[in-house]
Amino acid sequence: MSKQREELEHRLKLRNIKLSDYEDIREIMVSIYRNQGGAWTKQELKNQIKAFPEGQICIEDNGKVIAAALSIIVDYGKFGDNHTYDQITGFGKFDTHDDEGDTLYGTDVFVHSDYRGMRLGRRLYDARKELCENLNLRSIIAGGRIPGYSKYADEMTPRKYIDLVKNREIFDPVLSFQLANEFHVRKVITKYLPEDTDSRAYATLLEWINIYYEKEEKLIGNKKSIVRLGLVQWKMRRFSNVDDLMQQVEFFVDTVSGYKSDFCLLPEFFNAPMLAEFNDMDASEAIRNLADYTDEIVSRMSDLAVSYNVNIIAGSMPEYDGKKLRNVSYLCRRDGTQDKQYKLHITPDEAAYWGLQGGNGINVFDTDAGRIGILICYDVEFPELGRILAEQEMDILFVPFWTDTKNAFLRVNTCAKARAIENECYVAITGSVGNLPKVENMDIQYSQSAIFSPSDFSFPHDAIVAQASENAETTIVADVDLDLLTKQRKAGSVRNLEQRRLDLYSIQWKQKK
């Protein structure tokens, strides 16, 4: 990893607030609330942590708190809809917290101004919702400011203003965000925060209803069971520069993120259209020049992963260190961290045209949505690799591929399905479609993206969870259940992993990682 990329890399972590975070929190609050009373005192933060430590959530980046959401549990019936902020928080003492209460009450949410546009507020709201569900609380309620109302106060009532914001005729920096996060307005409150002149002391009483009330019991941070996969079947087209390429990438990342996908998978050599820039060179020289763009693309891909809150498997791209040309796939996690997997097996064509060389290691990567492996195209046709990953408790195998003909595609497709069955895991594959008439060795494409599973009673009988149309630019978004893998491995009709005859054979990795 280049020194520049290492310096710019985000390392986001969602966790509970500690009292030692006070100075970071105070810095943000002073900046945001300088006209509404400034920051809490350290004692007030201490009271809130003491009352309900699980409800005080923050996001840190490289150790510094950059966003926070704070809350308490209340017996809402004791306060009703006509309360003020001071009343429901006990004038900042937070002694109104009640472990036996039925409602999670949001006392504050804020994001450092340097981190605006990264959707951290949405991530905090999602964490609050998860907490509400896991504690089996009826709903989340909060008093919401309407700071944009001051511009319209002389011409309309708060109710009219709120209706126009709901209809997207007016944008309010607070209310528009809350409505987009599935909160609804119960009523308008007066004198909620008397010092809030921008809102003219009005506030919206907002509610998010927990549809799993009385069912869900797990606490925040547990391993996900249902994981949503987003696959991009990518059409090859001409791009003038990296900005054009990344605009198309962002379109698809935005699309699968909009469905709350946990992963976004792109194809092998998705950036190949930029080879057209080097048409005057021979193929081996051209692809080495293409490798010059890889650092920038990975950096921007990592920013998208953070901004859109989705783990991105960035297809694959060439990497050239001046001695070896290799094919590498980057995992850009949504917490800002990265890992990479080299293609191990190089096809005869790749070696002859480009001089590609294979990598020497293979890994399972931990993510917030399961343990994953990555095998690039040809590698999935070697069953030993899938089995080595399965022995490290891999849940999902991602296979970015590029194939030009149907028989080449069917080799990848058939072997990927076999890896899912024999290793009792999910396998997601995606490739590219279309043609690049002016790019040597990358002229035509064939793909039918798919998600495969084991084949048993808990899974589709044909082992196909989802499948795209052939040779059409599109996406697949589908859910996979990781708990079913555990069930399969312990109680399936056949149990390929458990019933191996290790007394007769084994697979040994010889190369040191």
Side-chain angles (χ1 to χ4, degrees), residues 131-164:
L131 183 64
C132 181
E133 292 172 356
N134 295 337
L135 291 176
N136 195 32
L137 299 174
R138 181 182 60 81
S139 66
I140 302 173
I141 286 182
R145 300 175 58 238
I146 45 174
Y149 178 60
S150 60
K151 299 177 184 177
Y152 302 90
D154 294 334
E155 56 187 275
M156 65 182 71
T157 64
R159 182 178 297 278
K160 178 65 174 176
Y161 175 80
I162 290 167
D163 286 341
L164 290 173

CSV table of all heavy atoms in Angstrom, one decimal, residues 131-164:
chain,number,residue,atom,x,y,z
A,131,LEU,N,-30.5,-1.3,18.1
A,131,LEU,CA,-30.5,-1.3,19.5
A,131,LEU,C,-32.0,-1.4,20.0
A,131,LEU,O,-32.3,-2.2,20.9
A,131,LEU,CB,-29.9,0.0,20.1
A,131,LEU,CG,-29.8,0.1,21.6
A,131,LEU,CD1,-28.9,-1.0,22.2
A,131,LEU,CD2,-29.2,1.4,22.0
A,132,CYS,N,-32.9,-0.6,19.4
A,132,CYS,CA,-34.3,-0.6,19.8
A,132,CYS,C,-34.9,-2.0,19.6
A,132,CYS,O,-35.6,-2.5,20.4
A,132,CYS,CB,-35.0,0.4,18.9
A,132,CYS,SG,-36.8,0.5,19.3
A,133,GLU,N,-34.6,-2.6,18.4
A,133,GLU,CA,-35.1,-4.0,18.2
A,133,GLU,C,-34.5,-5.0,19.1
A,133,GLU,O,-35.2,-5.8,19.7
A,133,GLU,CB,-34.7,-4.4,16.7
A,133,GLU,CG,-35.4,-3.6,15.7
A,133,GLU,CD,-34.9,-3.9,14.3
A,133,GLU,OE1,-33.9,-4.6,14.1
A,133,GLU,OE2,-35.5,-3.3,13.3
A,134,ASN,N,-33.2,-4.9,19.4
A,134,ASN,CA,-32.5,-5.9,20.2
A,134,ASN,C,-32.9,-5.8,21.7
A,134,ASN,O,-32.8,-6.8,22.4
A,134,ASN,CB,-31.0,-5.8,20.0
A,134,ASN,CG,-30.6,-6.1,18.6
A,134,ASN,OD1,-31.3,-6.8,17.9
A,134,ASN,ND2,-29.4,-5.6,18.2
A,135,LEU,N,-33.3,-4.6,22.1
A,135,LEU,CA,-33.8,-4.4,23.5
A,135,LEU,C,-35.3,-4.6,23.6
A,135,LEU,O,-35.9,-4.5,24.7
A,135,LEU,CB,-33.4,-3.0,24.0
A,135,LEU,CG,-31.9,-2.8,24.2
A,135,LEU,CD1,-31.6,-1.4,24.7
A,135,LEU,CD2,-31.3,-3.8,25.3
A,136,ASN,N,-35.9,-4.9,22.5
A,136,ASN,CA,-37.4,-5.2,22.4
A,136,ASN,C,-38.1,-4.0,22.9
A,136,ASN,O,-39.0,-4.1,23.8
A,136,ASN,CB,-37.7,-6.5,23.2
A,136,ASN,CG,-39.1,-6.9,22.9
A,136,ASN,OD1,-39.6,-6.8,21.8
A,136,ASN,ND2,-39.8,-7.5,23.9
A,137,LEU,N,-37.8,-2.8,22.5
A,137,LEU,CA,-38.5,-1.6,22.8
A,137,LEU,C,-39.5,-1.3,21.7
A,137,LEU,O,-39.4,-1.6,20.6
A,137,LEU,CB,-37.5,-0.4,23.0
A,137,LEU,CG,-36.5,-0.6,24.1
A,137,LEU,CD1,-35.5,0.5,24.1
A,137,LEU,CD2,-37.2,-0.7,25.5
A,138,ARG,N,-40.6,-0.6,22.1
A,138,ARG,CA,-41.7,-0.4,21.3
A,138,ARG,C,-41.4,0.6,20.1
A,138,ARG,O,-41.8,0.3,19.0
A,138,ARG,CB,-42.9,0.3,22.1
A,138,ARG,CG,-44.2,0.5,21.2
A,138,ARG,CD,-45.2,1.2,22.1
A,138,ARG,NE,-44.7,2.4,22.7
A,138,ARG,CZ,-44.8,3.6,22.0
A,138,ARG,NH1,-45.2,3.6,20.7
A,138,ARG,NH2,-44.3,4.7,22.5
A,139,SER,N,-40.6,1.6,20.3
A,139,SER,CA,-40.3,2.6,19.3
A,139,SER,C,-39.1,3.5,19.7
A,139,SER,O,-38.6,3.4,20.8
A,139,SER,CB,-41.5,3.5,19.0
A,139,SER,OG,-41.8,4.3,20.2
A,140,ILE,N,-38.7,4.3,18.7
A,140,ILE,CA,-37.8,5.4,19.0
A,140,ILE,C,-38.5,6.7,18.9
A,140,ILE,O,-39.3,6.9,17.9
A,140,ILE,CB,-36.6,5.4,18.0
A,140,ILE,CG1,-35.8,4.1,18.0
A,140,ILE,CG2,-35.6,6.5,18.3
A,140,ILE,CD1,-34.8,3.9,17.0
A,141,ILE,N,-38.4,7.5,19.8
A,141,ILE,CA,-39.1,8.9,19.8
A,141,ILE,C,-38.0,9.9,20.0
A,141,ILE,O,-37.1,9.7,20.8
A,141,ILE,CB,-40.2,9.0,20.8
A,141,ILE,CG1,-41.4,8.2,20.3
A,141,ILE,CG2,-40.6,10.4,21.0
A,141,ILE,CD1,-42.6,8.2,21.2
A,142,ALA,N,-38.1,11.0,19.3
A,142,ALA,CA,-37.2,12.2,19.5
A,142,ALA,C,-37.9,13.4,19.1
A,142,ALA,O,-38.8,13.5,18.3
A,142,ALA,CB,-36.0,12.0,18.6
A,143,GLY,N,-37.5,14.5,19.7
A,143,GLY,CA,-37.9,15.8,19.3
A,143,GLY,C,-37.0,16.4,18.2
A,143,GLY,O,-35.7,16.4,18.5
A,144,GLY,N,-37.5,16.7,17.1
A,144,GLY,CA,-36.6,17.1,16.0
A,144,GLY,C,-36.7,18.6,15.7
A,144,GLY,O,-37.8,19.2,15.6
A,145,ARG,N,-35.6,19.3,15.6
A,145,ARG,CA,-35.5,20.7,15.2
A,145,ARG,C,-36.0,20.8,13.7
A,145,ARG,O,-35.9,19.9,12.9
A,145,ARG,CB,-34.1,21.2,15.3
A,145,ARG,CG,-33.6,21.2,16.8
A,145,ARG,CD,-32.1,21.6,16.8
A,145,ARG,NE,-32.0,23.0,16.3
A,145,ARG,CZ,-31.2,23.3,15.3
A,145,ARG,NH1,-30.5,22.4,14.6
A,145,ARG,NH2,-31.1,24.6,14.9
A,146,ILE,N,-36.5,22.0,13.4
A,146,ILE,CA,-36.8,22.4,12.0
A,146,ILE,C,-36.1,23.7,11.7
A,146,ILE,O,-36.8,24.7,11.5
A,146,ILE,CB,-38.3,22.4,11.8
A,146,ILE,CG1,-39.0,23.2,12.9
A,146,ILE,CG2,-38.9,21.0,11.6
A,146,ILE,CD1,-40.5,23.4,12.6
A,147,PRO,N,-34.8,23.7,11.6
A,147,PRO,CA,-34.0,24.9,11.5
A,147,PRO,C,-34.3,25.7,10.2
A,147,PRO,O,-34.1,26.9,10.2
A,147,PRO,CB,-32.6,24.4,11.5
A,147,PRO,CG,-32.6,23.0,11.1
A,147,PRO,CD,-33.9,22.5,11.6
A,148,GLY,N,-34.9,25.1,9.2
A,148,GLY,CA,-35.2,25.8,7.9
A,148,GLY,C,-36.4,26.6,8.0
A,148,GLY,O,-36.7,27.5,7.2
A,149,TYR,N,-37.2,26.4,9.1
A,149,TYR,CA,-38.5,27.1,9.2
A,149,TYR,C,-38.4,28.6,9.4
A,149,TYR,O,-39.3,29.3,8.9
A,149,TYR,CB,-39.3,26.5,10.4
A,149,TYR,CG,-40.6,27.2,10.7
A,149,TYR,CD1,-41.6,27.1,9.7
A,149,TYR,CD2,-40.9,27.8,11.8
A,149,TYR,CE1,-42.8,27.7,9.9
A,149,TYR,CE2,-42.1,28.4,12.0
A,149,TYR,CZ,-43.1,28.4,11.0
A,149,TYR,OH,-44.3,29.0,11.2
A,150,SER,N,-37.3,29.1,9.9
A,150,SER,CA,-37.2,30.5,10.1
A,150,SER,C,-37.3,31.3,8.8
A,150,SER,O,-37.7,32.5,8.8
A,150,SER,CB,-35.8,30.8,10.8
A,150,SER,OG,-34.7,30.4,10.0
A,151,LYS,N,-36.9,30.7,7.7
A,151,LYS,CA,-37.0,31.4,6.4
A,151,LYS,C,-38.5,31.5,5.9
A,151,LYS,O,-38.8,32.4,5.1
A,151,LYS,CB,-36.2,30.6,5.3
A,151,LYS,CG,-34.7,30.5,5.6
A,151,LYS,CD,-34.1,29.6,4.5
A,151,LYS,CE,-32.6,29.4,4.8
A,151,LYS,NZ,-32.0,28.5,3.8
A,152,TYR,N,-39.4,30.7,6.5
A,152,TYR,CA,-40.7,30.7,6.0
A,152,TYR,C,-41.8,31.0,7.1
A,152,TYR,O,-43.0,31.0,6.8
A,152,TYR,CB,-41.1,29.3,5.5
A,152,TYR,CG,-40.2,28.8,4.4
A,152,TYR,CD1,-39.0,28.1,4.6
A,152,TYR,CD2,-40.5,29.1,3.0
A,152,TYR,CE1,-38.2,27.7,3.6
A,152,TYR,CE2,-39.7,28.6,2.0
A,152,TYR,CZ,-38.5,27.9,2.3
A,152,TYR,OH,-37.7,27.5,1.3
A,153,ALA,N,-41.3,31.4,8.3
A,153,ALA,CA,-42.2,31.6,9.4
A,153,ALA,C,-43.2,32.7,9.2
A,153,ALA,O,-44.3,32.6,9.7
A,153,ALA,CB,-41.4,31.9,10.7
A,154,ASP,N,-42.8,33.7,8.4
A,154,ASP,CA,-43.7,34.8,8.2
A,154,ASP,C,-44.8,34.5,7.1
A,154,ASP,O,-45.8,35.3,7.0
A,154,ASP,CB,-43.0,36.1,7.7
A,154,ASP,CG,-42.0,36.6,8.8
A,154,ASP,OD1,-42.3,36.3,10.0
A,154,ASP,OD2,-41.0,37.2,8.5
A,155,GLU,N,-44.7,33.4,6.4
A,155,GLU,CA,-45.6,33.1,5.4
A,155,GLU,C,-46.4,31.8,5.5
A,155,GLU,O,-47.3,31.5,4.8
A,155,GLU,CB,-44.9,33.1,4.0
A,155,GLU,CG,-43.7,32.1,3.9
A,155,GLU,CD,-43.0,32.2,2.6
A,155,GLU,OE1,-43.4,31.6,1.6
A,155,GLU,OE2,-42.0,33.0,2.6
A,156,MET,N,-46.0,31.0,6.5
A,156,MET,CA,-46.8,29.7,6.7
A,156,MET,C,-46.6,29.2,8.1
A,156,MET,O,-45.7,29.6,8.8
A,156,MET,CB,-46.3,28.7,5.7
A,156,MET,CG,-44.9,28.2,5.9
A,156,MET,SD,-44.3,27.0,4.7
A,156,MET,CE,-44.2,28.0,3.2
A,157,THR,N,-47.6,28.3,8.5
A,157,THR,CA,-47.5,27.7,9.8
A,157,THR,C,-46.5,26.6,9.8
A,157,THR,O,-46.1,26.1,8.8
A,157,THR,CB,-48.9,27.1,10.2
A,157,THR,OG1,-49.2,26.1,9.2
A,157,THR,CG2,-50.0,28.2,10.1
A,158,PRO,N,-46.1,26.1,11.0
A,158,PRO,CA,-45.2,25.0,11.1
A,158,PRO,C,-45.8,23.7,10.4
A,158,PRO,O,-45.1,23.0,9.8
A,158,PRO,CB,-45.0,24.8,12.6
A,158,PRO,CG,-45.3,26.1,13.2
A,158,PRO,CD,-46.3,26.7,12.4
A,159,ARG,N,-47.1,23.5,10.6
A,159,ARG,CA,-47.7,22.4,10.0
A,159,ARG,C,-47.6,22.4,8.4
A,159,ARG,O,-47.3,21.4,7.8
A,159,ARG,CB,-49.2,22.3,10.4
A,159,ARG,CG,-49.9,21.1,9.8
A,159,ARG,CD,-51.4,21.1,10.3
A,159,ARG,NE,-51.5,20.9,11.7
A,159,ARG,CZ,-51.4,19.8,12.4
A,159,ARG,NH1,-51.2,18.7,11.7
A,159,ARG,NH2,-51.5,19.8,13.7
A,160,LYS,N,-47.9,23.6,7.8
A,160,LYS,CA,-47.7,23.7,6.4
A,160,LYS,C,-46.3,23.5,6.0
A,160,LYS,O,-46.0,22.8,5.0
A,160,LYS,CB,-48.2,25.1,6.0
A,160,LYS,CG,-48.1,25.4,4.5
A,160,LYS,CD,-49.0,24.5,3.7
A,160,LYS,CE,-48.9,24.9,2.2
A,160,LYS,NZ,-49.7,24.0,1.3
A,161,TYR,N,-45.3,24.0,6.7
A,161,TYR,CA,-43.9,23.8,6.4
A,161,TYR,C,-43.6,22.4,6.4
A,161,TYR,O,-42.9,21.9,5.5
A,161,TYR,CB,-43.1,24.6,7.4
A,161,TYR,CG,-41.6,24.4,7.3
A,161,TYR,CD1,-40.9,25.1,6.3
A,161,TYR,CD2,-40.9,23.5,8.1
A,161,TYR,CE1,-39.5,24.9,6.2
A,161,TYR,CE2,-39.6,23.3,8.0
A,161,TYR,CZ,-38.9,24.0,7.0
A,161,TYR,OH,-37.5,23.8,6.9
A,162,ILE,N,-44.0,21.7,7.4
A,162,ILE,CA,-43.7,20.2,7.6
A,162,ILE,C,-44.3,19.5,6.4
A,162,ILE,O,-43.7,18.6,5.8
A,162,ILE,CB,-44.2,19.7,8.9
A,162,ILE,CG1,-43.4,20.3,10.0
A,162,ILE,CG2,-44.2,18.2,8.9
A,162,ILE,CD1,-44.0,20.1,11.4
A,163,ASP,N,-45.5,19.8,6.0
A,163,ASP,CA,-46.2,19.1,4.8
A,163,ASP,C,-45.4,19.3,3.6
A,163,ASP,O,-45.2,18.4,2.8
A,163,ASP,CB,-47.6,19.6,4.6
A,163,ASP,CG,-48.6,19.1,5.7
A,163,ASP,OD1,-48.2,18.1,6.3
A,163,ASP,OD2,-49.6,19.7,5.9
A,164,LEU,N,-44.8,20.5,3.4
A,164,LEU,CA,-44.1,20.8,2.2
A,164,LEU,C,-42.7,20.1,2.2
A,164,LEU,O,-42.2,19.6,1.2
A,164,LEU,CB,-43.8,22.3,2.0
A,164,LEU,CG,-45.1,23.1,1.7
A,164,LEU,CD1,-44.8,24.6,1.7
A,164,LEU,CD2,-45.6,22.7,0.3
